Amino acid sequence: MMMIKSPPSSINPNAHDPIWNLKKQYALPLGKRIVLIIKLNNACIIPGGVDTLLKQSSNNQNPKLYYTAASSVSSSSSVITDAATDMMGNMHLTEHTAASSTVPGGGSGRSSPFDFLNSTAGTTSIGNVSSSSSSGGGAKGGSFKLANFGNKLKNQLERGVTSIAVQAQKATSGDHRAIRDLLTVGAYVQNSRTGEFDICIGMTERQEMPSSCSVQDNVSEDGDGGMTFRIPILIPPQVMDEKTGAPPVIQFHLWMRSGAAIFAKNRALRKYLHVGNSMLFLDHLSQQIHWPNFDRPVTFVLPLQSAIAPMGKMTMLAFPDAKFPSLCGIGWSLSDPRTDTAYNNTSSSSTAVMPTTKRILFNPPLDQNYAFPYNTQNTLLATERVTESTVVLPVAAAMMQLMARASSISAAHAMNLASKLEYFGGGDTVNDPMKAMQHGHAQCQLEIMHFLRYHPQVVGVDGMASTRGNGTTIHVNIYLQRPDSIFENCLANCSIPSHAYIQNMTYSSNAAVSIPFYPRIVEKNDARLLPGQVVGSAEASSRNVFVGKLRIQLHEENIGVAGGGDVFSPMGPAGGIGVGAPRNLEAVLDIDSYLNSSEDKSVLYLNVIDLMTGSSAGSLGVTISAHTLEGMVDQFNGINGNTDKEIVEGGLISLVGMNTLMEDDKACHPHSDLNKVAWDKIQSLGPTHERKQRQLATMGEFLTYDYMNRHAEMKRATESKLFLEKSVKYMSALISPLADGEVNLPPDQQRQPRPFRPSSSRMDQLLSGIGFNVHVQSFSVTNVSVTEPAGQVSSIPTSLFQNVTCGAPADHFRGFHQKGIEGEKPISGGLRRLEARRTAAAEKVRSLQNQLIDAVGNFYTMHTQSMKQFPGRSVRHIPPGNHHIDSLRSACISATQTLHSLTWDIAVRRANVFSQALGIALSLYLAHVSDFAKLQKAAWADVWTKHGFLITFEGLLSAAGKELGMIEDASVGISMLRMVSVVFVTTDSQTNTEGGTDRCLPIVDSPYMKWLRITPSGYGKDTTYLVEICVDVNYYAQRIPPALKNSTPVKFYPILYQMGVDIRQWGVNAGANLGKKNEPTTSDEMDEDEIGIPDNDVLIALNYEAFRKMNAYAHKVYPCQDPQNTIPCISWEQAHTSSQIEQTIHPMLTVLYDYIRSSAGKMEHGILDEAGFASNRLGGGSAIFCKSGKDRTAMQVTFKQAQYIYRFIHGQGNGFSEYSSSSSLDAKKIFDDATIMRVHGTRLPVCDKNVGQPLYAFNSLQAKFMPEPLKPPPRALAGFLKGGRVFSGGGIES
């Protein structure tokens, strides 16, 4: 029998880590690897598997036919571990100690922090023989026989353990299917120091041996049978480079492992048995592929050197590196960076304006290839590629420019209102009188000298005359009766001297009190002027402006009398004690009579009335001065009242598509943040609303100076500065050189604005306008056929499946539980909840206003007739002191300020979330516009121009805690995409200069896109955004569909399906927050609002809303037969706002509807599955997101890709075929393919890119509660410590 030399003992297949990290993905030089798909013929598939090998080994005198992975390796042995972890290149052909490559604990190849807890952690040598032993004899005599006997005994024991493990698994799981052993192939190059072929440059996946020769078992149906590995082996370019002194041969070893190893904990079952090996001579390979000009696939066959499979063969299919797709080829997107400039710091042109060393904005793509046997001669080569988008950062920069400009307008508007409100109070807080006058206020000064009492004598208890209160003080309250408000403003409370009036006596003219104030100037035709102001006297009717009156209230306490004189009289008390009643007195001063008076300031004596008797009680000595700005410069005839309409053009609230909710009968003064349309709406209200509006107009201001000043300074000015900072930083990132030290940081530590924003930066305020972890994930399929017997290979690009993956578009920095500024209530939740609160706040304002109007009406009815009248006294002003009216007015002001503050908070949050969502949506749209084959097969471009581009967001967040807030943010941000339309223009288009070239932002490192510009139009809820994308003239002419030319806009049609898929959602469905109780978290993950009130109803509401929109879209794209015209045409807006719309369920969506209808209280992943499938069949695209965009998102996108390739194979080359619905798909086959993609594909490098570790942030407990299609592979879990960083204190966020 043929004796085959066993592989070196230093090889450990278990030490190979199948997980690709960034180091492997980004090893230089990029794009120069050779992709080898390996197919085994039927002779390599050994009947009986491991059991046959063990029997053969027992019968053979040479025990080196197999290799035990668990065997201990001498510390003197040498292997190269750097090469094992860097299969992409940068391979150092030097040695390291084998101790570094021996990784106890299983096939992940990574050291476990819990190995010290395992009693079997120590490795055991099972049947290991030193590689120095000779195949011809070696040990002799009794020692040889004893060793041989021991090996045979161990083989028999291992066969027994394997059988027991298999039977135990069948008994416990109820699965009586045959458990198949596993095969894998590893590629090895020679160690330059030891001469052994023990440097692993790559391995295929471990694949089950087929039970029969069929395509379903991943076995070709050709005459040779056999099996094809899904995962190819990549040959680094250094291996092919003769200058590096690379060895001229690659050895391929075929290994077998027991299928029961995954069910048993026995380490003996984890060993790999060696089946055989093949040799590939690199000079022969170079000739075959024309290295280094390798541009087309080739095939060759290598014989397998094996005693157990002497007829075995390995067929190799070699392909060029597919990391970078060809321009305009399959898998390429218009949003992809250009490969010649994006990943290096050298300018593409010697005459470029930018410096020679430019900013490196992009990380290279992540890629992986998969092989799927298709039929007897064909194999599908699927290339999974994850690429950053060139439009994410320009979109964020353009949006922040708009938001910075709008927020600065809103901040200036708020400060202007605050300054106006400042003048309605006393003058103590006014620092700039001239500014007050410029704002339409008069500058007034009131001085009070004394009060002179009439009738100084009163009758004491003994009947004698007495002088009352001579030389005492009296308390005074001063109120401004504005001509535009029924409520008086209190200007001052003070005390003044009180004297008995004595004829011909001289009194002091020194002011006891001096009060500055700044009343608003009201014009004669001002709508807020109270009735009756211009009637009465001829003087009043001739006035053009009014500033109001002063009502001075005097309160005289009771003053006791004794006998015939005052107790303080020099005469002393003359008898018993007498008591006089306290008196309430009042005087009125008409300021309008003295406005801009040219007379010298002189003392006026106002008649003081006793409110009890209505008789004159004395006189009040005052001086008054009142001036307007025009009066001070002798322009009396030009006096201007304050007639500002308080309109703000281009403010933030209107820009983000919001109305203030005060544009109807709730409108009150001061009008804040009203745009022109809102103002016109207020002016055109109907009679009923107009009456209420006029009533509110007479009630003064419902925003106070203290609130408005605090709001303007602490909120608006601060947010405006932040928007401006983001705008400057984002723009700088696009056009300026790289910052010092930036280039050396790994992606997960970058905190400068870039197209890729890692999920670890969610709480970074500077980056809050950039969508994070945004990638275009393409899955392109190429049909590879081999012509026998010539072996000619042809490859035809066939199909493309694309998704965008990202983190949740939410304002993570602002959080979901804000304390608010001093004096304001805290707010919690995301946008959807906040906007519901805002609607409730507006209704509360309306209710309180109505109550206040009723209370004022009742006051007039009850008190007008009972009030004593005297000349100059107003019957239209309500004095303070009415508790019911005062409390209602205070509550109304508080409610209005709450609504005002909440509106601003929502506007800022909308700005950040919308900026993120727009970058995601635009990347998805460009990816589908680039799919030339898709646009050729169907008239999708025409559908998009007529009905909009369908964007289906698939959310995987749980409806509890912070993630509930993220859902609420995302739902509103996604809905805002309905405001967006996209057009393509060219560099010579006449539209380039329209709208301003200053807003044309460069799209850096794009091969065909030059710039983009975002132009808003409209007001409030009618706001729209036009996104113009300038493309190269030739690309425009050859690749842009005719339907999208001539500046034809395509409107976005966004919908959101949402379903929680983790343990927290399971807890919500179970009626308790079990996710928090059972999920261990690190200190980095703890959040003050992690335990929130769950709201499972929001998922049901969102899914029904999304279904109404998709159903309406489906009826437009694929109209159903409706002879009697009974199916209504429903718009996106109607489906969004009304849950009562009834429309026939489209046949394409019946399964989806059934899933939604039955989803209450359970984790129904089928909703997302069917929604994504329907979206693609309707010509749209999908964006998949979770909290970070890396873990649950990875499970979903790989599951979709596995479904797609299954449908493609079984649906006659159509991945979206109705050949098989989700219910008839082979769930196990799809799950197995998805698992391979989750372990070997691009998603683990995405995790590495975000948090610095290529692991999914799940633990085994969390995985148990996830839906079956989304369960992660155990070998790729971060574990309970979210990354296993036991001592560093770090971890991976989940």
Side-chain angles (χ1 to χ4, degrees):
M1 183 173 61
M2 179 181 180
M3 302 301 295
I4 305 300
K5 183 179 178 180
S6 64
S9 60
S10 55
I11 294 181
N12 185 355
N14 270 326
H16 173 71
D17 190 350
I19 295 174
W20 281 58
N21 54 25
L22 289 185
K23 182 180 179 181
K24 297 177 183 178
Q25 281 280 351
Y26 292 160
L28 298 175
L30 295 173
K32 298 296 184 181
R33 305 161 301 179
I34 299 173
V35 181
L36 291 181
I37 295 177
I38 300 177
K39 174 185 174 182
L40 305 178
N41 70 347
N42 200 41
C44 296
I45 303 171
I46 303 171
V50 169
D51 192 55
T52 300
L53 287 180
L54 292 174
K55 289 180 180 178
Q56 179 70 20
S57 178
S58 299
N59 297 330
N60 197 326
Q61 294 297 322
N62 181 6
K64 294 181 288 184
L65 285 173
Y66 67 92
Y67 167 81
T68 55
S71 62
S72 61
V73 181
S74 171
S75 61
S76 62
S77 302
S78 299
V79 295
I80 296 181
T81 56
D82 279 359
T85 58
D86 191 0
M87 67 178 68
M88 285 291 299
N90 292 335
M91 184 166 51
H92 307 287
L93 301 182
T94 56
E95 71 281 352
H96 292 269
T97 61
S100 64
S101 66
T102 303
V103 183
S108 67
R110 290 173 284 106
S111 178
S112 169
F114 299 107
D115 276 346
F116 64 89
L117 300 176
N118 194 336
S119 60
T120 61
T123 58
T124 304
S125 178
I126 303 175
N128 183 48
V129 179
S130 173
S131 60
S132 62
S133 300
S134 169
S135 61
K140 296 182 179 180
S143 61
F144 172 79
K145 294 179 181 180
L146 181 62
N148 195 30
F149 174 77
N151 289 330
K152 289 183 178 181
L153 178 62
K154 289 180 180 179
N155 290 340
Q156 292 176 357
L157 291 175
E158 289 167 7
R159 289 168 57 195
V161 171
T162 300
S163 178
I164 292 173
V166 170
Q167 296 302 322
Q169 169 62 17
K170 290 181 178 181
T172 56
S173 67
D175 185 0
H176 297 284
R177 294 177 300 177
I179 296 179
R180 308 174 191 175
D181 292 331
L182 308 174
L183 290 176
T184 185
V185 173
Y188 303 88
V189 295
Q190 192 176 28
N191 188 325
S192 61
R193 183 177 180 275
T194 64
E196 299 283 2
F197 283 83
D198 56 9
I199 301 174
C200 181
I201 62 172
M203 293 187 73
T204 67
E205 82 281 11
R206 296 192 299 251
Q207 190 173 130
E208 288 185 343
M209 292 174 57
S211 59
S212 60
C213 295
S214 63
V215 176
Q216 285 76 7
D217 290 322
N218 197 32
V219 181
S220 302
E221 293 180 338
D222 55 19
D224 291 335
M227 59 183 287
T228 302
F229 289 97
R230 292 278 194 274
I231 302 300
I233 290 178
L234 304 183
I235 300 178
Q238 290 86 348
V239 173
M240 302 295 297
D241 191 352
E242 298 178 356
K243 296 179 181 179
T244 62
V249 176
I250 300 177
Q251 285 189 0
F252 294 90
H253 291 279
L254 177 61
W255 304 98
M256 184 182 295
R257 177 175 169 178
S258 171
I262 60 175
F263 308 130
K265 297 182 179 180
N266 191 300
R267 286 187 176 274
L269 297 180
R270 296 181 181 177
K271 71 179 183 180
Y272 281 85
L273 307 182
H274 187 250
V275 179
N277 63 275
S278 297
M279 307 284 285
L280 174 61
F281 294 91
L282 297 182
D283 55 350
H284 175 70
L285 177 63
S286 298
Q287 295 175 4
Q288 289 278 336
I289 66 176
H290 303 289
W291 181 263
N293 301 316
F294 184 27
D295 58 358
R296 62 186 61 187
V298 298
T299 184
F300 45 89
V301 178
L302 302 178
L304 184 69
Q305 300 177 18
S306 172
I308 194 69
M311 302 302 293
K313 296 179 182 179
M314 291 187 186
T315 300
M316 305 280 181
L317 274 172
F319 293 87
D321 197 338
K323 178 173 283 291
F324 303 114
S326 59
L327 286 177
C328 302
I330 186 171
W332 176 84
S333 171
L334 190 55
S335 65
D336 287 358
R338 56 186 301 174
T339 58
D340 58 338
T341 63
Y343 311 119
N344 59 71
N345 60 0
T346 304
S347 177
S348 61
S349 173
S350 59
T351 59
V353 176
M354 65 175 55
T356 302
T357 301
K358 70 176 184 65
R359 181 180 294 267
I360 302 176
L361 287 175
F362 300 92
N363 299 294
L366 307 172
D367 70 299
Q368 179 58 287
N369 298 281
Y370 309 99
F372 299 93
Y374 188 23
N375 53 36
T376 56
Q377 293 184 338
N378 293 25
T379 297
L380 297 180
L381 176 65
T383 302
E384 177 184 280
R385 195 178 292 109
V386 174
T387 311
E388 296 172 8
S389 171
T390 56
V391 298
V392 168
L393 186 56
V395 164
M399 291 303 300
M400 290 304 105
Q401 278 189 353
L402 294 174
M403 300 307 168
R405 188 180 298 112
S407 60
S408 66
I409 293 173
S410 293
H413 170 69
M415 292 177 181
N416 183 48
L417 286 184
S419 64
K420 290 183 177 181
L421 292 169
E422 177 184 11
Y423 313 132
F424 288 125
D428 295 340
T429 59
V430 178
N431 298 319
D432 190 349
M434 185 60 66
K435 185 177 179 181
M437 300 173 74
Q438 291 173 345
H439 279 80
H441 290 254
Q443 182 182 15
C444 302
Q445 186 84 19
L446 172 69
E447 294 180 348
I448 303 179
M449 287 68 181
H450 44 251
F451 170 55
L452 302 180
R453 298 187 310 278
Y454 298 155
H455 312 299
Q457 290 186 338
V458 297
V459 178
V461 294
D462 56 357
M464 299 181 61
S466 174
T467 301
R468 176 174 179 155
N470 193 25
T472 63
T473 59
I474 188 169
H475 186 72
V476 176
N477 294 326
I478 305 168
Y479 301 97
L480 172 64
Q481 294 182 336
R482 294 168 46 186
D484 58 351
S485 174
I486 61 174
F487 296 109
E488 298 178 342
N489 288 10
C490 182
L491 298 181
N493 300 313
C494 55
S495 296
I496 61 171
S498 173
H499 306 284
Y501 173 71
I502 301 176
Q503 192 172 6
N504 298 326
M505 179 174 284
T506 301
Y507 297 94
S508 173
S509 60
N510 293 329
V513 175
S514 180
I515 304 168
F517 59 100
Y518 299 85
R520 176 177 181 264
I521 302 172
V522 182
E523 288 186 343
K524 187 176 183 178
N525 58 352
D526 194 314
R528 297 179 65 185
L529 186 66
L530 295 178
Q533 297 291 319
V534 294
V535 297
S537 66
E539 182 183 0
S541 60
S542 64
R543 293 172 183 163
N544 293 319
V545 295
F546 301 84
V547 293
K549 298 179 180 180
L550 292 176
R551 184 174 72 87
I552 306 173
Q553 188 180 61
L554 300 88
H555 181 72
E556 188 178 58
E557 295 289 346
N558 54 341
I559 300 177
V561 295
D566 198 302
V567 293
F568 299 105
S569 170
M571 299 174 59
I577 302 298
V579 179
R583 297 191 298 172
N584 290 317
L585 314 176
E586 187 174 293
V588 176
L589 173 61
D590 187 357
I591 309 172
D592 298 328
S593 300
Y594 303 96
L595 188 62
N596 291 324
S597 175
S598 59
E599 299 179 1
D600 293 336
K601 189 175 180 182
S602 58
V603 178
L604 305 174
Y605 281 96
L606 307 178
N607 186 27
V608 179
I609 304 298
D610 188 329
L611 297 182
M612 179 64 69
T613 64
S615 60
S616 178
S619 59
L620 186 67
V622 303
T623 63
I624 182 68
S625 63
H627 299 280
T628 64
L629 183 62
E630 292 82 351
M632 294 182 67
V633 293
D634 297 329
Q635 294 179 355
F636 182 84
N637 294 331
I639 293 179
N640 293 320
N642 189 344
T643 57
D644 293 344
K645 295 181 180 180
E646 298 167 339
I647 294 177
V648 53
E649 290 287 347
L652 181 65
I653 293 173
S654 177
L655 182 63
V656 296
M658 296 173 63
N659 294 335
T660 65
L661 298 188
M662 300 291 283
E663 295 92 350
D664 50 18
D665 61 330
K666 300 186 298 297
C668 57
H669 293 275
H671 296 302
S672 179
D673 301 300
L674 290 182
N675 54 59
K676 183 180 183 300
V677 172
W679 176 262
D680 293 340
K681 184 177 180 181
I682 291 176
Q683 303 306 307
S684 59
L685 294 175
T688 303
H689 295 316
E690 183 179 358
R691 183 173 183 271
K692 180 182 177 181
Q693 182 191 3
R694 294 186 65 182
Q695 290 172 332
L696 292 174
T698 65
M699 295 184 179
E701 286 68 37
F702 288 84
L703 298 175
T704 64
Y705 166 70
D706 289 339
Y707 160 78
M708 203 67 201
N709 185 56
R710 184 176 64 250
H711 175 80
E713 291 182 356
M714 298 184 66
K715 283 196 171 184
R716 298 208 176 188
T718 300
E719 296 293 349
S720 177
K721 291 178 182 178
L722 289 175
F723 279 126
L724 180 60
E725 180 184 7
K726 286 187 282 190
S727 172
V728 172
K729 292 288 182 67
Y730 294 1
M731 193 64 190
S732 175
L734 289 173
I735 63 176
S736 65
L738 183 67
D740 292 338
E742 227 180 281
V743 70
N744 295 323
L745 293 176
D748 64 293
Q749 297 179 20
Q750 288 285 357
R751 292 300 180 267
Q752 294 297 319
R754 288 172 175 265
F756 171 74
R757 175 189 172 195
S759 63
S760 55
S761 70
R762 285 200 312 271
M763 301 305 295
D764 195 301
Q765 186 176 24
L766 173 64
L767 306 180
S768 58
I770 305 174
F772 63 90
N773 199 11
V774 180
H775 292 98
V776 177
Q777 179 151 338
S778 63
F779 191 73
S780 57
V781 179
T782 300
N783 187 8
V784 181
S785 61
V786 180
T787 304
E788 298 293 351
Q792 295 182 348
V793 182
S794 64
S795 60
I796 303 174
T798 305
S799 183
L800 176 65
F801 179 51
Q802 300 179 99
N803 295 275
V804 167
T805 63
C806 56
D811 197 343
H812 297 270
F813 171 77
R814 295 176 70 85
F816 306 97
H817 183 79
Q818 297 183 2
K819 296 180 180 179
I821 62 177
E822 184 180 355
E824 295 184 10
K825 294 182 179 180
I827 58 176
S828 60
L831 281 170
R832 188 180 179 94
R833 199 185 326 173
L834 295 178
E835 294 197 348
R837 282 189 54 186
R838 180 170 171 259
T839 301
E843 291 302 318
K844 182 177 181 180
V845 169
R846 175 182 280 109
S847 175
L848 289 171
Q849 286 178 344
N850 292 336
Q851 295 179 51
L852 180 59
I853 290 172
D854 292 341
V856 169
N858 293 334
F859 174 84
Y860 284 137
T861 301
M862 296 174 60
H863 296 281
T864 300
Q865 296 180 353
S866 63
M867 289 179 62
K868 294 185 179 295
Q869 301 296 323
F870 56 86
R873 190 177 195 193
S874 172
V875 296
R876 298 191 177 278
H877 288 85
I878 301 177
N882 187 302
H883 176 73
H884 181 55
I885 291 180
D886 289 348
S887 62
L888 278 176
R889 186 167 183 241
S890 177
C892 196
I893 290 174
S894 177
T896 304
Q897 292 177 168
T898 297
L899 175 61
H900 183 267
S901 178
L902 189 56
T903 298
W904 176 257
D905 290 331
I906 292 174
V908 174
R909 199 175 193 97
R910 270 182 162 237
N912 289 323
V913 175
F914 179 49
S915 178
Q916 296 179 33
L918 182 55
I920 297 167
L922 192 58
S923 299
L924 181 63
Y925 175 66
L926 292 174
H928 283 266
V929 170
S930 311
D931 191 350
F932 194 62
K934 174 180 180 176
L935 297 179
Q936 282 186 322
K937 291 179 181 178
W940 290 121
D942 295 292
V943 172
W944 299 342
T945 57
K946 293 178 182 177
H947 309 300
F949 176 68
L950 178 63
I951 303 175
T952 302
F953 282 81
E954 302 173 29
L956 298 151
L957 298 168
S958 299
K962 289 201 312 179
E963 292 198 3
L964 176 58
M966 297 175 201
I967 294 173
E968 294 163 342
D969 266 7
S971 65
V972 175
I974 291 168
S975 296
M976 291 177 69
L977 293 173
R978 183 59 177 170
M979 301 187 294
V980 177
S981 297
V982 183
V983 299
F984 290 104
V985 298
T986 62
T987 52
D988 58 355
S989 174
Q990 294 181 355
T991 61
N992 286 354
T993 58
E994 297 177 4
T997 56
D998 60 321
R999 291 189 288 106
C1000 297
L1001 273 70
I1003 304 178
V1004 180
D1005 287 325
S1006 173
Y1008 297 117
M1009 294 188 294
K1010 305 302 180 184
W1011 50 260
L1012 65 78
R1013 178 171 56 204
I1014 302 177
T1015 306
S1017 60
Y1019 299 94
K1021 289 188 175 181
D1022 297 325
T1023 299
T1024 59
Y1025 290 84
L1026 180 66
V1027 180
E1028 298 170 272
I1029 300 177
C1030 179
V1031 297
D1032 179 77
V1033 175
N1034 293 326
Y1035 184 90
Y1036 183 88
Q1038 299 176 25
R1039 304 287 295 193
I1040 299 297
L1044 304 183
K1045 293 181 178 179
N1046 302 319
S1047 298
T1048 304
V1050 171
K1051 197 175 182 67
F1052 284 166
Y1053 195 100
I1055 57 177
L1056 167 64
Y1057 288 98
Q1058 169 63 46
M1059 180 54 62
V1061 294
D1062 65 355
I1063 190 172
R1064 188 176 287 109
Q1065 184 62 49
W1066 178 88
V1068 173
N1069 294 338
N1073 199 357
L1074 300 182
K1076 182 64 179 181
K1077 295 178 183 178
N1078 293 320
E1079 179 185 353
T1081 55
T1082 66
S1083 59
D1084 293 338
E1085 295 176 339
M1086 294 297 290
D1087 297 288
E1088 61 182 10
D1089 56 348
E1090 188 69 25
I1091 304 180
I1093 299 175
D1095 184 9
N1096 202 33
D1097 292 339
V1098 71
L1099 302 186
I1100 299 174
L1102 285 172
N1103 289 332
Y1104 270 114
E1105 177 185 310
F1107 181 82
R1108 291 195 301 270
K1109 296 173 183 176
M1110 180 174 274
N1111 194 48
Y1113 190 86
H1115 276 290
K1116 293 176 182 178
V1117 176
Y1118 295 114
C1120 297
Q1121 293 184 358
D1122 186 25
Q1124 299 181 359
N1125 196 27
T1126 58
I1127 301 178
C1129 182
I1130 296 175
S1131 67
W1132 183 97
E1133 288 72 19
Q1134 290 174 313
H1136 180 72
T1137 57
S1138 176
S1139 60
Q1140 304 301 321
I1141 291 178
E1142 294 185 2
Q1143 191 178 28
T1144 304
I1145 306 301
H1146 196 280
M1148 186 183 295
L1149 306 178
T1150 53
V1151 177
L1152 173 60
Y1153 181 73
D1154 290 339
Y1155 277 131
I1156 295 175
R1157 188 173 56 178
S1158 62
S1159 64
K1162 63 180 182 179
M1163 200 182 300
E1164 187 53 83
H1165 172 256
I1167 293 176
L1168 301 181
D1169 184 16
E1170 283 295 326
F1173 182 52
S1175 178
N1176 284 283
R1177 292 180 62 198
L1178 291 169
S1182 293
I1184 307 168
F1185 70 90
C1186 60
K1187 179 179 179 180
S1188 62
K1190 61 182 179 61
D1191 304 307
R1192 283 166 284 182
T1193 297
M1195 303 302 107
Q1196 175 70 359
V1197 72
T1198 50
F1199 177 70
K1200 292 181 65 174
Q1201 288 177 170
Q1203 275 193 324
Y1204 176 81
I1205 197 66
Y1206 184 90
R1207 284 190 171 106
F1208 186 93
I1209 293 174
H1210 295 82
Q1212 299 178 351
N1214 183 0
F1216 306 119
S1217 171
E1218 292 184 89
Y1219 169 81
S1220 55
S1221 63
S1222 298
S1223 60
S1224 63
L1225 299 179
D1226 186 341
K1228 182 181 184 304
K1229 176 66 173 173
I1230 292 173
F1231 179 76
D1232 291 344
D1233 288 343
T1235 300
I1236 289 176
M1237 297 176 190
R1238 291 163 185 170
V1239 174
H1240 299 271
T1242 61
R1243 297 311 304 187
L1244 282 171
V1246 168
C1247 294
D1248 194 5
K1249 192 174 176 182
N1250 277 275
V1251 295
Q1253 285 187 309
L1255 297 168
Y1256 297 123
F1258 303 118
N1259 55 53
S1260 56
L1261 177 63
Q1262 291 171 317
K1264 289 182 181 295
F1265 288 89
M1266 296 181 70
E1268 287 299 325
L1270 303 187
K1271 287 187 182 296
R1275 71 169 68 181
L1277 300 184
F1280 278 91
L1281 295 183
K1282 297 291 176 66
R1285 297 181 182 177
V1286 181
F1287 303 109
S1288 65
I1292 298 177
E1293 93 283 356
S1294 115

